[in-house]
Amino acid sequence: MNTVIYMVRHAESPFEFGQERTRGLSEEGFLEAKRIAEVLGDIDIHFMASSSYTRAVQTIQELAERKAMTIVQYEELVERAIKGLDYKAAWDVLYEAIRKSFIDIDFALEGGETTRSVQQRAIPVIERILEEHRGKNIVLGTHGNIMTIIMNHYDDRFGFDFWDTTSKPDIYKLTFNLNKLEHVERIWT
């Protein structure tokens, strides 16, 4: 009996320093959220979950409203901060740190989270969702880095190079047999 998780990476959200938790979607992002609702609209969805960050929730909110469903939010599924949230870093520094974090899963910049520590907080939630909704279709509002880290736990082929090719938004259909990832398909075009 297969369980399917549709990982929905959040839509466009303008970066605002210090607003990681609360920054929402851009006007373009809200249009993309409507398109996500169309792409997933014909699927029989049984459970909807999300990171507690606003942009992840907003990305699947239109779909939840169309399906008359509630989105269960999990703090454990928030985006990984590769550096501490209280200081700025140039994009090239962050990019290199993310690359290195998939080679050395115990690496992070000062104050940041390692790949290992993110897996330790996120995977128990994913495992519980898989157990509680066995054989069902699940939509998960997420972020690029943590999505890749979760997928990497189940299949180490999903690492930096995969993360680097994802888009905002993006949708990946993950098919599990019990708690074993059997197939991944990108369904966002």
Side-chain angles (χ1 to χ4, degrees):
M1 177 180 329
N2 289 338
T3 306
V4 175
I5 297 180
Y6 293 90
M7 293 278 210
V8 181
R9 183 180 186 191
H10 70 80
E12 184 60 38
S13 173
F15 177 77
E16 297 175 44
F17 182 74
Q19 303 298 315
E20 188 65 11
R21 178 171 297 285
T22 58
R23 68 183 165 101
L25 298 181
S26 64
E27 187 175 321
E28 178 185 340
F30 279 109
L31 293 174
E32 292 165 337
K34 288 184 185 300
R35 193 165 147 233
I36 287 166
E38 291 168 9
V39 168
L40 297 176
D42 290 336
I43 296 168
D44 189 16
I45 297 167
H46 304 97
F47 182 69
M48 294 187 71
S50 180
S51 152
S52 59
Y53 283 5
T54 300
R55 62 192 180 275
V57 174
Q58 287 179 338
T59 299
I60 62 172
Q61 186 65 48
E62 175 82 17
L63 178 63
E65 290 171 7
R66 288 185 188 192
K67 298 281 189 181
M69 295 182 75
T70 300
I71 300 169
V72 178
Q73 296 179 35
Y74 293 92
E75 186 66 22
E76 298 90 345
L77 299 180
V78 300
E79 180 62 303
R80 179 259 290 272
I82 190 68
K83 63 161 183 68
L85 295 177
D86 55 347
Y87 72 92
K88 296 181 181 182
W91 174 245
D92 61 327
V93 171
L94 297 174
Y95 186 82
E96 177 58 22
I98 292 168
R99 185 195 65 76
K100 187 173 179 183
S101 76
F102 282 101
I103 297 166
D104 175 0
I105 67 168
D106 293 311
F107 172 80
L109 296 173
E110 183 179 344
E113 284 186 284
T114 67
T115 296
R116 183 186 311 273
S117 64
V118 172
Q119 287 176 337
Q120 288 172 340
R121 73 168 155 88
I123 296 305
V125 172
I126 299 300
E127 294 283 310
R128 190 166 68 244
I129 289 171
L130 287 169
E131 289 292 327
E132 292 174 358
H133 303 281
R134 180 110 32 239
K136 306 290 186 183
N137 293 322
I138 300 152
V139 169
L140 178 62
T142 191
H143 310 267
N145 218 301
I146 191 168
M147 176 181 75
T148 305
I149 289 168
I150 291 167
M151 293 167 73
N152 176 266
H153 170 79
Y154 293 100
D155 185 337
D156 64 9
R157 292 178 294 173
F158 296 99
F160 175 79
D161 291 338
F162 169 78
W163 169 83
D164 202 31
T165 64
T166 62
S167 63
K168 291 181 195 170
D170 217 335
I171 306 173
Y172 288 87
K173 178 182 178 182
L174 281 60
T175 304
F176 289 85
N177 181 352
L178 298 175
N179 291 30
K180 182 179 185 295
L181 180 61
E182 300 232 318
H183 184 72
V184 175
E185 176 186 3
R186 183 174 191 241
I187 63 170
W188 182 253
T189 56

